[in-house]
Amino acid sequence: MAEIPSSGLVRSLSLIDIVMVGIAAMIGGAIFVLVGPAMDEAGPALMIVFLVNGVITLFTAMTYAELGSALPEAGGGYGWIRQGLPRPNAFISGWMAWFAHMIAGSLYAVGFGAFLAHLLTIMNIVVFEGLDKIIAVLAVVLFTYINVKGASDTGKVGSAITFLQLAIIGVLIIAGLYAVSFTNHDWPDNFQDFFPKGSIGIIIAMGLTFIAFEGYEIIVQTGEEVKNPKRNIPRAIFISLAVVVVLYIVFTFAFIGGLNPSQTGEDPWKFIGGHKELGIIEGAKFLLPFGALIVLVGGIVSTLSALNATTFSSSRVAFAMGRHYTLPVEFSTLHKKYHTPHYATIASGVIMIIVALLLPLEQIALAASVMFLFLFTQVNIAAITIRRLYGHKLDYGFKMPFFPVLPLIGIFTKIGLAIYLLIYNPLSWLIAIIWILIGFSIYKIYSVKKEIEHHAPLVVSEGPKERKDYRIMVVFDQHSAKFAKIASAIAQQKDGEVSFLNIVTIPTQLPLTVAQKFNEPAMRSFDELKKEAWSVPCRYLIRLTHDTTEAILATVEQQGVNLLIMDFHSLKNNRKLLSLTTCDIMGVHMGENFHTELSNIVVSYDKGRHSNMGLEISDILAKSLNSKIRIVRGVTGSPEEERDILAKLNERMFDLDIKKIPIHKIPSRKENVMRDLLAHFNSTIPEIIIMGAGNQSDQAFSPKTMEIIEKTKTTIFVIRDSRLSSIQTRYFWDKIAPRIRENKFAYRMYLDLLRLLYFIRTKKHTMESDDDYFISKRK
């Protein structure tokens, strides 16, 4: 009996079913349509192109295999980005994926209509204008119905079509290899001009064919409908990718080697490439009887197979988004009999029909390629975050080696290909950006409200109607009155406001809709705070939730919070909050003499961006509370290193318009620096310590930060700056950019991107070198 997971979807697909889904998506009609144009650019080196593309896409395929085995969910990349990246990345990725899958489906439907109409013409059957579009619509309707009937039927139909597709491709390959072995004895001559257009031709051909290797996004959409996903999803990804790469290479070899120049009148690769999309059809005429007819039938079967796969995948993305209330919740409704997301499937089918009938599919398809590249970039980033946040809790069926090097390579290769499309087809980027902006507007107007209303409804919001630009949020607990004093002091200098968030955590078995009885006690908890005459506008918020972290993240986004203040001990183990929040954070470790300590502030400066922000916070508090400030540094480096650090510190104080602050140096050795700092802090007058969060690559806070908090009794503010550090930015400009200049093609792409940014910044069209951009950036 098929297993029904908690989502209600039925686990009925086998390994072979999802391997066929992946192969269908990766071959599609591309093997008959794209090989010609790509061969025109790369010549016989197209075999190398397919191999290199296979290797490049392997980096992201391994990311998908790892996440698909550990988190097998409908929605694929969208669901993982939701786990690993801040809002609104999840919605935007889902919005792009849904669109891209539907566009691909429309393209396959129109391709099927064109192939079938051409076949009918060859057979002297009456063909009228627009017949190809009618056939496309009927194909979408048919496969929408099949997908509504159930994943099992979808898998069976898809597998049958894909097996037929592979058989037709096999016949063409055998015909070509037969010619190489028995009739065309001079076949090596066909490969003499192996790189006719050099590296540029290779790169252009890679851009044309790369999108054919991304069927793993469709494979992972089966996560809640495949048997034993931990084992089968990684296997399906690697099997389908290996089969497709080998097929493309052997197919290319068979056609170039099998054709005789005496028949084609020129080099076979020129003949096929010169006929562009029709190149394989024309070449097949010389390889075997009825070759053109066989290719037409193969194109018909291939496009049907790919249409079936994309209809399935687009509906699963919509289903996952509906389940999270970012698209209408009806999309998450399952058919009572078939256990399929019928509304999501029908909606996807209707949109595919509209796109197929009305829009210019060639440009829309390139935009879909851009969006797939954006999606894969986000997935690779999310994979790094998920491994860091949840890796010790997840049960992986496959774990990629050399982590995080491989996902980083995946990120840079996808960005490189996206830039390639920007340079050679800027309209594709324009269409993609317009679609993303439409999605972002829908998110702000509709989706974010619906999502938050369901997962963490705001049941009370009391405060002034006028909003300030700078917003501080205090998470309510027993120290809220003390936190409020800090928050109001900062808000006063920033001309901001303070919000107090009281989170009422409801047991998971109790629906949030029936938990309204908790509102009144939660509101009474604000009474003491309201008695204080705060010098800044204050608002009071209450959220009901099953997940405290989600409530905080939702409020940060909805209220546009700039600084979050909360108890350090509630924060220190919450790596999800630290990774996904988009605002600055101040974690407060409350000491024994808070009010006395406010008169004196010491900044523990370690040159990182977090302690740079701590320096800014200390200056703000000093101005509001008339506190004295000093800086402490544990000196462990050489005099030259310390001189550079002090120079940067003075530069930072100049930027913040901070007057001269005494700097107390504590000479120490690296292994003793924490001991010496602690001895210093514990021997001085009561004062508040402000320090940065430290290195967070392996844990939420650095061991040095944790040691000071554990071994001192004074109040400590731990600061986490959410912005990208200028040091990291400078590292790119100083270290990476010179290397890019050494490669002419990379430098050309790099300059084209900077020219776009330069025009946006200066409205000037001329930029002689990348230095012009950096000068404009500094200005």
Side-chain angles (χ1 to χ4, degrees), residues 35-50 193-206 208-209 252 256 269 273:
V35 168
M39 197 176 292
D40 188 45
E41 300 294 341
L46 182 60
M47 294 184 294
I48 304 296
V49 167
F50 286 130
D193 191 9
F194 200 74
F195 296 100
K197 296 185 180 180
S199 59
I200 295 297
I202 295 289
I203 292 170
I204 293 174
M206 285 175 63
L208 282 170
T209 58
T252 303
I256 295 177
W269 73 264

Side-chain angles (χ1 to χ4, degrees), residues 66 70 383-396 399 403 573-576 698-700:
E66 174 173 306
I384 297 172
T385 307
I386 288 171
R387 176 88 76 94
R388 185 163 57 87
L389 288 178
Y390 313 114
H392 60 291
K393 298 178 181 177
L394 295 175
D395 184 15
Y396 290 97
K399 216 170 184 180
F403 186 87
N573 294 321
N574 196 335
R575 297 177 66 181
K576 179 179 178 181
D698 298 319
Q699 52 191 23

Side-chain angles (χ1 to χ4, degrees), residues 504-507 510 514-523 542 544:
V504 182
T505 305
I506 307 300
L510 185 65
V514 300
Q516 302 297 324
K517 62 182 179 180
F518 296 102
N519 295 359
E520 191 174 338
M523 197 64 202
I542 298 175
L544 305 180

Side-chain angles (χ1 to χ4, degrees), residues 520-534:
E520 191 174 338
M523 197 64 202
R524 284 199 300 270
S525 62
F526 288 136
D527 290 346
E528 291 299 318
L529 285 174
K530 290 181 177 180
K531 291 177 183 177
E532 297 287 339
W534 303 110

Side-chain angles (χ1 to χ4, degrees), residues 398-452:
F398 168 81
K399 216 170 184 180
M400 76 181 90
F402 308 112
F403 186 87
V405 174
L406 295 186
L408 287 173
I409 293 173
I411 290 167
F412 288 120
T413 53
K414 296 300 182 287
I415 291 173
L417 283 165
I419 292 173
Y420 157 82
L421 285 172
L422 171 64
I423 295 167
Y424 290 99
N425 198 296
L427 184 58
S428 63
W429 269 64
L430 179 62
I431 294 170
I433 289 170
I434 290 172
W435 180 257
I436 291 169
L437 289 175
I438 291 171
F440 191 76
S441 301
I442 292 172
Y443 176 76
K444 284 295 184 183
I445 295 169
Y446 169 82
S447 298
V448 68
K449 294 178 182 178
K450 289 291 183 182
E451 183 181 11
I452 291 173

Side-chain angles (χ1 to χ4, degrees), residues 47 80 127 129 205 305 315 355 372 428 500 540 563 576 621 626 661 730 752 779:
M47 294 184 294
W80 305 327
V127 176
E129 186 176 353
S305 180
S315 66
V355 170
F372 271 128
S428 63
F500 298 96
Y540 303 90
L563 175 64
K576 179 179 178 181
L621 291 173
N626 296 316
I661 297 174
R730 286 174 188 165
D752 284 336
K779 287 179 180 179

Side-chain angles (χ1 to χ4, degrees), residues 452-521:
I452 291 173
E453 281 174 11
H454 178 76
H455 294 293
L458 183 66
V459 293
V460 173
S461 178
E462 183 181 298
K465 290 184 179 180
E466 185 180 349
R467 302 299 305 266
K468 297 287 187 179
D469 290 334
Y470 191 83
R471 300 166 190 177
I472 302 172
M473 186 174 82
V474 174
V475 178
F476 188 85
D477 69 2
Q478 71 270 24
H479 299 303
S480 292
K482 297 174 182 177
F483 294 168
K485 189 168 185 177
I486 304 164
S488 62
I490 298 172
Q492 187 176 359
Q493 291 295 315
K494 291 273 195 179
D495 188 27
E497 65 180 39
V498 179
S499 296
F500 298 96
L501 174 65
N502 194 349
I503 300 170
V504 182
T505 305
I506 307 300
T508 53
Q509 64 269 23
L510 185 65
L512 297 179
T513 51
V514 300
Q516 302 297 324
K517 62 182 179 180
F518 296 102
N519 295 359
E520 191 174 338

